[in-house]
Every structure is written in structure tokens, then in C-alpha cells.
Amino acid sequence: MSEEILNPNVYLNYLQPTIASEYEVTRNVNLATLGALIWDILSTLPEDWRIARTSKPTPVLFAYFPARISALVVVLLSVFEKTGPITQCGVLALNLCVFWVVTSAASSYLFLKRVHAVFIHDRIVCHFFTFLWLAAFGGSLVVLPGPLHDYYEIANTKHCINHNIEDYVSIAFIGPVIFDALVFLAITYKILTFHNPSKPRSWKEFCYGEALPRLSRAVLQGGQQYYMITTSINMLRSVFALLPSSSPVLQLTFSIPAVALTSAMACRVFRNLKLKSLQEIEIGAFAMMEFMHRGPADVHLPNSSGANVIAGSGSVEEV
């Protein structure tokens, strides 16, 4: 005779103790991620408003803001999935994957346009990275068919759980990581070799960007921060996903934090560089006004560190 369940509406009663524990850990991780992402968005609202108010409409801006919004939607849907009440688990998971594809493609696009700006005179490199971005975007689409079949409701409790993760899903996560790594290496090489190409480079210059103009140093250091942080979280996610003993629930524990952190860091790098370039433009405009009123003898123009100090003379609007 089977043991009667005293609280049939409690979803944890229908899970094995190990799976129930992993389910709770994943739910708490998603809740913490949601809180951190909301804090990041609210704390940067003034900066986002300044960028939207002072910048011309460009494809980069149309990628920046959807990357922010879609990442928030992904985290929200992941929290709803673990907290309920949800009856159409497959539909919710499919929408989650759609918004993940959007935020992944938009975040990577920010770095694609950075490559285009740095290698503006090298069409082969630009076309190569455009192809890589399209390949990474196409690879991320393989996650879309799975959710309709891999997610189900836990015994009519209006809570969802995934019972299977296909091996090909790893391709969707690995593609953007490889693209980001190649972008980081290409831009770093171009910046370090563009300024005084005959001078040998040390590890200190590679790490800190010493002797580089301010905007070029910002591009280099921003890429370093993004690459180190996102690579660390994606490696952690990959370890859990590839462990033979990991359950489908545990395999996805760090997927949502990886999505949120990748989007947040990509947007942060773009935002910091954009604000720095706006500051340089304002300083240059102010110095020019002083020059016109006082004359050249009384004015010290700022050191040139605008868009043309970046390798390739690409537009700041596209970096």
C-alpha cells in the first residue's frame, strides 16, 4: 500500500529528496539573480537615459536596450517556472529560450560592432566576424525545439521541472562564448599593435594598457573585464552541465546567472565606453568654445583621445 501524501499541493512531495534539494537551490539562485539584475538596471537608469537622449538611433543602440530587457525577461520567466503557478510549462520554457536567443544575439552584436569599428579598413576581418556572429546565432536556435517536450508540470501542482537536457544544447551555449573569446583576442591584438607597432609589448601593457590613449585603454580593459567574468561563469555552468552525475535540474542551475551576467557585462562595457566618449566630446566642445573666446594663448586643448585613437579610426557610435 502506497503512503498517502498529506499535502498533495506541495510540489516537493512528488520529487526525490536529492532532486527536491537541487530544485530548491536552483530556485534560490534564480531569485538572487533576479534581485541582482533589477538592482543593476535601476542603478544605471540615469546613464541609460543619457545615452538614449544624446545618441543617434543606431543598430548598436537597438541591440543594447533589447539585450537589457530580454535578459530581465529570461530571469523573470525562470523564476516563474520555479515558483508557479504555471500550467503550460512547455510554452513558458519555449518563451524563455526565445528571449535567451534574443539577449545572447544582442549582447554578442555589441562586440561585433566593436570589431567593425576597430577593423574598419579590413573588410575580410569584418566579414569573418560577421559570419561567426551569424553562426553563433544560428547555433543558439537549436535550443528552441526542446522545451515543448522536456518540461512538464509536477503532479498538477502548477510547478514545472525539466526531465531531460539534450546534448546538442551545449552547442547553443558554447557558440557565443567562442565568438566572445575571438573578439577579445582580435581587438586586443589590434590595439596593442596599432600604437607603436615596432615596440615589443610586455604582459604589463597587455593587462593594464599602459602607454595607450584613454579611449583605447578603455576598450582594452572593458574587453578584459567582460571576458574574464563571463568566461568564469560559463565555465562553471559547463562543469555542472557536463558532469555525468548531474541531474537535468542541476545542469541548468548556473545557466540563468550566466545569461544575466553575460548580458549585464556586455552592456556595462558598451555603456562605460559610450559615456567616456560623450565626456571626451563635451570636453573638446568646451575647449573649443574657450579657444574661440579667449584665443589660443589662454586655452589648453585636451589631449586627443577621441574615436580616432582606436585602431582603425572607427566611430565611437559603433564601439
Side-chain angles (χ1 to χ4, degrees):
M1 182 177 180
S2 60
E3 184 179 352
E4 183 181 358
I5 297 179
L6 298 179
N7 297 304
N9 293 327
V10 178
Y11 61 94
L12 295 178
N13 289 330
Y14 299 93
L15 302 177
Q16 298 177 2
T18 303
I19 301 299
S21 177
E22 295 173 353
Y23 191 96
E24 291 290 276
V25 169
T26 303
R27 184 196 63 182
N28 293 337
V29 168
N30 291 348
L31 286 170
T33 303
L34 176 61
L37 187 59
I38 291 176
W39 175 84
D40 176 69
I41 292 175
L42 292 178
S43 63
T44 56
L45 273 180
E47 297 171 348
D48 287 343
W49 171 245
R50 184 187 178 194
I51 291 175
R53 183 171 51 86
T54 59
S55 303
K56 297 179 181 178
T58 61
V60 181
L61 285 184
F62 285 113
Y64 172 76
F65 289 106
R68 303 277 279 170
I69 297 171
S70 55
L72 179 61
V73 174
V74 168
V75 180
L76 279 172
L77 292 178
S78 69
V79 170
F80 292 155
E81 174 195 326
K82 292 294 188 294
T83 57
I86 300 296
T87 55
Q88 300 293 330
C89 295
V91 175
L92 181 140
L94 177 61
N95 281 279
L96 189 154
C97 290
V98 168
F99 280 100
W100 173 79
V101 170
V102 172
T103 189
S104 176
S107 299
S108 297
Y109 184 80
L110 295 177
F111 281 86
L112 173 65
K113 297 307 292 183
R114 177 174 289 201
V115 171
H116 287 176
V118 172
F119 291 91
I120 190 171
H121 299 300
D122 196 332
R123 290 185 174 273
I124 295 179
V125 174
C126 292
H127 292 331
F128 173 72
F129 277 96
T130 301
F131 170 77
L132 289 182
W133 180 79
L134 291 173
F137 171 71
S140 65
L141 296 177
V142 302
V143 303
L144 298 181
L148 292 175
H149 310 287
D150 297 337
Y151 283 77
Y152 65 91
E153 186 179 353
I154 305 174
N156 298 320
T157 61
K158 300 187 186 306
H159 285 76
C160 303
I161 191 171
N162 57 303
H163 65 88
N164 183 44
I165 301 295
E166 300 292 345
D167 294 336
Y168 58 75
V169 173
S170 298
I171 300 175
F173 288 99
I174 292 175
V177 174
I178 296 176
F179 174 81
D180 292 343
L182 293 176
V183 168
F184 167 71
L185 293 175
I187 291 179
T188 300
Y189 171 79
K190 184 67 173 179
I191 291 177
L192 292 179
T193 56
F194 180 77
H195 300 282
N196 297 325
S198 59
K199 178 183 176 182
R201 297 294 176 180
S202 64
W203 281 104
K204 192 174 183 180
E205 288 179 296
F206 174 80
C207 295
Y208 301 104
E210 294 184 350
L212 292 177
R214 282 179 292 177
L215 198 57
S216 293
R217 186 164 61 249
V219 173
L220 176 64
Q221 293 177 344
Q224 290 172 338
Q225 294 171 2
Y226 171 84
Y227 181 71
M228 288 187 294
I229 293 176
T230 57
T231 299
S232 299
I233 188 65
N234 278 290
M235 287 181 62
L236 184 62
R237 183 204 62 80
S238 299
V239 168
F240 278 84
L242 298 176
L243 281 176
S245 58
S246 296
S247 67
V249 174
L250 190 61
Q251 288 177 353
L252 295 180
T253 298
F254 288 96
S255 294
I256 298 303
V259 171
L261 188 58
T262 299
S263 174
M265 284 301 302
C267 292
R268 179 179 183 272
V269 170
F270 168 79
R271 183 172 58 250
N272 288 347
L273 183 60
K274 184 66 177 178
L275 293 174
K276 187 178 289 292
S277 67
L278 290 175
Q279 183 181 16
E280 295 288 339
I281 293 173
E282 291 173 355
I283 292 175
F286 177 78
M288 185 58 65
M289 291 176 61
E290 292 291 309
F291 180 86
M292 294 175 62
H293 284 83
R294 298 185 181 182
D298 301 325
V299 178
H300 298 284
L301 292 176
N303 205 10
S304 176
S305 57
N308 59 348
V309 303
I310 300 177
S313 301
S315 170
V316 174
E317 291 287 340
E318 302 212 344
V319 179

